[in-house]
Amino acid sequence: MIKLQSLACGFDNHSVLEDITLDIASHLSILGANGSGKSTLARAICGLTGYEGEVSLFGESIQNIAPKTRAKTISYIPAKLDIYDSFITVFEFVLLGRFPYKKSFFEYDAKDKIIAQKTIAFLNIRHLSSHTVASLSSGEQQLVLIAQALAQQSKIIIFDEPTANLDPRNAKIIAEHIKGLKEYHQIILITHDLHLACFVGSPIAFIKEKRVTLYEEGFFEDANLEELYGVAFSSMAVRYA
Amino acid sequence: MALHLVRWRCGMLKSLLWILLACGVLIAPFIGSVELSLADVLNPEHLSHKIFVELRLPRVLFAFFAGVVLALSGLLYQTLFRNALMTPYTLGISSGAVLGAGIALKLSLGTLLFGVASVTLFGFLGAMFTVLLLVYLSQFLKSSHHESLLLLGIALSLFYTSALMVVFYLGSAIQNDLLIRFTMGSLSIIGWNSPITLGIIAFLLLLLLYLYRFELQLLGMSETQASLKGVHTKRVTLLLLIASSFAIGVLVSMSGPIGFVGLVVPHIVAKIYPSALSHRVLKTALFGGFFLVFCDTLTRGINTQSELPIGIVTAFIGAPFFIYLIIKGKK
């Protein structure tokens, strides 16, 4: 349960979002043009950026939640993997998702390792387990990022443009995983990918001119899309089956 | 060839490397301008015993601990700033220490100030001042732009070098000779004070990095990801930076700047052990220690009128090896 109360944020003296009040009780897909503030909104929800107003998770202000507790509540999957340690293996990378549960200064215990293995198996990437993360393709890296977030076992998962760098086949694989995860997690999906948003089927929050409009249905009507994006659409002709 | 056989052979080679390095450390105290034999060393009445206990052994241990501090600091800076070129040396911290020590030499503040050698104290202050300045200035940089921090460090280094030139210009011939020696780096220490102090500092730094190895692993991904996984990013970063800078400040004020160890050793260890960072902390520390002892033994073993400065040897070995690694890595 995410509650935003009169939220306003921006950066470099430039306002991005203004007066946003939103109760996010279930799944939500956030759409909007480039630079409209989708990622800023996600960063505010995670408490990663300064803001005015109030952001709370399950009734507690995000500012007052300890980092480990926050990590058990919410996880954030970036669009692209950025990693300096080019030798870390998939298994070790997924295991890092267990950090909030690990005793300070100690190794990851057997339970953490089992959860990491199960997550890897769940996403069908067991064959990559001992590969280095740096050697994987973009699609495989996205799966590994998802595996790490799943190992984190947080109630809320935020996907930030998960299909941005993927070909249609890999995008479909990711889309199916996201849809499947709705059963176990609250999924916040940030994307430009209309097919993905349509396939996942969550209510849509569209950000335009610093404000948010909610759509339970009717978002994908051609006329509505044309009005929001300013370009003509032809029945979103290509959709995931 | 079967994979397990290749692995076995690789493992054997690695074990052999460590054994050779460890043997090198055991032999190192016996090598130098005066040859020492084991029998003489074991005889407390003999001059060799005195040389061994008061000169050679402390020096080898000092070199080992210096290598540990330099290699660990290199690993830490490279990981925290996600840049293979980040070391206390490239960030200007060593230069700050050299300038501090230079000023102390120029002002002829005497050997002792508050019970500490003035060169040591000023060198340490120079290093700490630089770290605090970098931490302060980094607030004005975007957190993801670590290249800017590297440029700041390079600018500071150039500024310090010019300031050092002024010290040279104003200095007497004797002062300048001392200063030039200091800037070349040297592990010539006498007695046990320096190795014991540095040993404690090296151990504490290793312990700290080992305890925080998983936090460091996450910080090596990105500050955002580390924070979202539950790391107190600011607290941990500052703690690790200040600890390593303290260690570097103390070391540089005792030995002068020693380049290339912090830059090269973490990369060499990563090449030998291509594993996650959390597995490499201890190995990097040990390899750094062994590497510097090896270089120092060379400075004493090569017959010249006086022994070669250590900084020259580490650069002569480190630079070509580093170039080889970069070219091999790119292929």
Side-chain angles (χ1 to χ4, degrees):
Chain A
M1 177 72 183
I2 306 165
K3 212 176 168 83
L4 310 176
Q5 189 72 43
S6 311
L7 175 76
C9 43
F11 47 84
D12 297 341
N13 295 326
H14 169 70
S15 156
V16 178
L17 299 170
E18 278 176 10
D19 195 24
I20 306 232
T21 298
L22 205 61
D23 280 357
I24 312 176
S26 184
H27 313 293
L28 187 71
S29 296
I30 303 174
L31 280 80
N34 283 333
S36 59
K38 301 185 298 297
S39 292
T40 307
L41 182 61
R43 289 179 66 81
I45 292 172
C46 295
L48 290 172
T49 186
Y51 59 84
E52 286 168 31
E54 185 56 52
V55 177
S56 60
L57 296 181
F58 298 95
E60 180 109 29
S61 169
I62 188 84
Q63 306 288 9
N64 302 332
I65 303 176
K68 281 195 174 182
T69 314
R70 181 183 62 189
K72 289 175 192 172
T73 314
I74 196 161
S75 53
Y76 173 89
I77 303 176
K80 205 170 168 295
L81 182 87
D82 194 12
I83 195 163
Y84 176 70
D85 184 358
S86 52
F87 299 111
I88 191 167
T89 64
V90 168
F91 175 70
E92 287 163 333
F93 186 82
V94 174
L95 197 55
L96 288 176
R98 299 298 299 164
F99 183 83
Y101 302 90
K102 186 178 80 67
K103 268 193 218 153
S104 296
F105 309 137
F106 281 88
E107 282 280 343
Y108 292 94
D109 63 21
K111 187 185 163 201
D112 294 326
K113 287 176 182 167
I114 290 169
I115 290 173
Q117 276 164 351
K118 281 188 175 168
T119 315
I120 288 170
F122 174 73
L123 290 172
N124 295 324
I125 47 172
R126 202 184 280 168
H127 58 289
L128 301 175
S129 210
S130 56
H131 289 50
T132 59
V133 176
S135 69
L136 305 181
S137 70
S138 303
E140 289 165 339
Q141 286 187 348
Q142 193 63 37
L143 282 171
V144 171
L145 280 167
I146 295 175
Q148 193 190 56
L150 292 184
Q152 203 171 324
Q153 295 184 325
S154 59
K155 298 175 190 82
I156 305 166
I157 301 180
I158 300 182
F159 286 88
D160 193 353
E161 305 198 23
T163 55
N165 303 302
L166 306 185
D167 62 49
R169 191 179 118 70
N170 280 307
K172 177 74 191 300
I173 294 172
I174 299 294
E176 277 174 346
H177 280 304
I178 295 174
K179 197 173 182 179
L181 289 173
K182 284 172 75 178
E183 200 177 322
Y184 312 101
H185 301 268
Q186 181 179 352
I187 303 289
I188 311 283
L189 169 68
I190 297 167
T191 187
H192 285 299
D193 186 341
L194 293 171
H195 306 123
L196 174 67
C198 185
F199 182 76
V200 169
S202 307
I204 306 287
F206 192 83
I207 306 182
K208 194 173 185 181
E209 289 161 3
K210 302 176 187 178
R211 303 297 169 102
V212 173
T213 315
L214 264 182
Y215 294 84
E216 287 290 339
E217 53 190 28
F219 178 82
F220 295 100
E221 308 272 322
D222 290 348
N224 183 51
L225 290 176
E226 187 171 343
E227 190 192 329
L228 292 175
Y229 285 101
V231 284
F233 283 82
S234 129
S235 302
M236 287 244 328
V238 187
R239 293 197 190 196
Y240 293 130
Chain B
M1 201 183 301
L3 193 63
H4 70 272
L5 210 63
V6 176
R7 282 205 186 127
W8 182 79
R9 188 179 276 189
C10 252
M12 286 295 284
L13 278 175
K14 284 174 190 170
S15 310
L16 199 67
L17 175 73
W18 287 109
I19 292 168
L20 277 176
L21 287 169
C23 288
V25 172
L26 290 179
I27 298 165
F30 294 92
I31 298 170
S33 54
V34 179
E35 291 289 332
L36 303 181
S37 74
L38 189 60
D40 293 343
V41 166
L42 292 175
N43 177 5
E45 304 297 316
H46 204 279
L47 181 66
S48 294
H49 178 77
K50 210 170 163 58
I51 293 176
F52 186 84
V53 174
E54 284 176 25
L55 290 175
R56 296 278 175 80
L57 205 54
R59 179 174 176 153
V60 168
L61 287 175
F62 184 74
F64 184 83
F65 296 136
V68 170
V69 168
L70 289 169
L72 284 180
S73 300
L75 182 70
L76 175 68
Y77 279 69
Q78 286 162 12
T79 310
L80 276 184
F81 301 114
R82 297 180 279 287
N83 187 315
L85 295 175
M86 293 280 191
T87 65
Y89 206 74
T90 46
L91 281 173
I93 295 160
S94 300
S95 309
V98 173
L99 180 63
I103 291 170
L105 282 171
K106 165 63 195 134
L107 297 178
S108 303
L109 289 176
T111 45
L112 293 172
L113 196 75
F114 311 121
V116 184
S118 61
V119 176
T120 305
L121 184 68
F122 272 60
F124 170 65
L125 289 177
M128 278 315 268
F129 171 75
T130 312
V131 172
L132 294 177
L133 189 64
L134 283 172
V135 168
Y136 174 71
L137 290 175
S138 67
Q139 293 173 11
F140 301 106
L141 305 173
K142 281 188 177 174
S143 61
S144 55
H145 290 191
H146 292 308
E147 284 80 8
S148 311
L149 190 66
L150 189 60
L151 289 175
L152 277 181
I154 291 169
L156 274 179
S157 289
L158 291 172
F159 176 79
Y160 287 147
T161 308
S162 300
L164 195 65
M165 289 298 155
V166 176
V167 177
F168 272 125
Y169 181 72
L170 298 172
S172 69
I174 297 170
Q175 284 170 342
N176 284 354
D177 188 50
L178 283 172
L179 199 50
I180 288 172
R181 294 264 157 190
F182 182 77
T183 57
M184 285 177 180
S186 169
L187 295 167
S188 313
I189 49 116
I190 297 166
W192 284 92
N193 280 348
S194 300
I196 289 174
T197 310
L198 196 64
I200 294 169
I201 288 172
F203 174 75
L204 291 177
L205 186 64
L206 174 61
L207 185 69
L208 197 66
L209 255 70
Y210 188 75
L211 290 178
Y212 281 101
R213 63 196 184 287
F214 293 111
E215 279 84 346
L216 198 57
Q217 180 93 65
L218 283 163
L219 282 164
M221 283 167 66
S222 75
E223 212 179 313
T224 307
Q225 278 301 311
S227 172
L228 286 168
K229 291 283 179 288
V231 179
H232 284 274
T233 49
K234 286 210 165 63
R235 197 190 292 175
V236 174
T237 305
L238 210 61
L239 173 72
L240 293 176
L241 275 186
I242 286 178
S244 107
S245 305
F246 174 78
I248 287 290
V250 172
L251 168 63
V252 173
S253 63
M254 287 173 175
S255 70
I258 300 170
F260 275 101
V261 181
L263 183 66
V264 177
V265 169
H267 291 291
I268 297 177
V269 174
K271 288 280 172 193
I272 302 174
Y273 292 97
S275 55
L277 178 123
S278 48
H279 297 305
R280 276 187 271 129
V281 173
L282 192 60
K283 293 180 183 106
T284 303
L286 282 177
F287 197 89
F290 288 144
F291 179 74
L292 202 56
V293 169
F294 175 73
C295 291
D296 182 48
T297 309
L298 276 186
T299 68
R300 285 180 283 124
I302 294 169
N303 277 326
T304 51
Q305 281 188 327
S306 65
E307 59 189 48
L308 278 172
I310 182 73
I312 295 178
V313 178
T314 54
F316 267 47
I317 297 177
F321 193 74
F322 196 55
I323 292 169
Y324 165 75
L325 281 183
I326 291 168
I327 292 172
K328 193 166 170 264
K330 289 282 173 226
K331 272 184 181 171

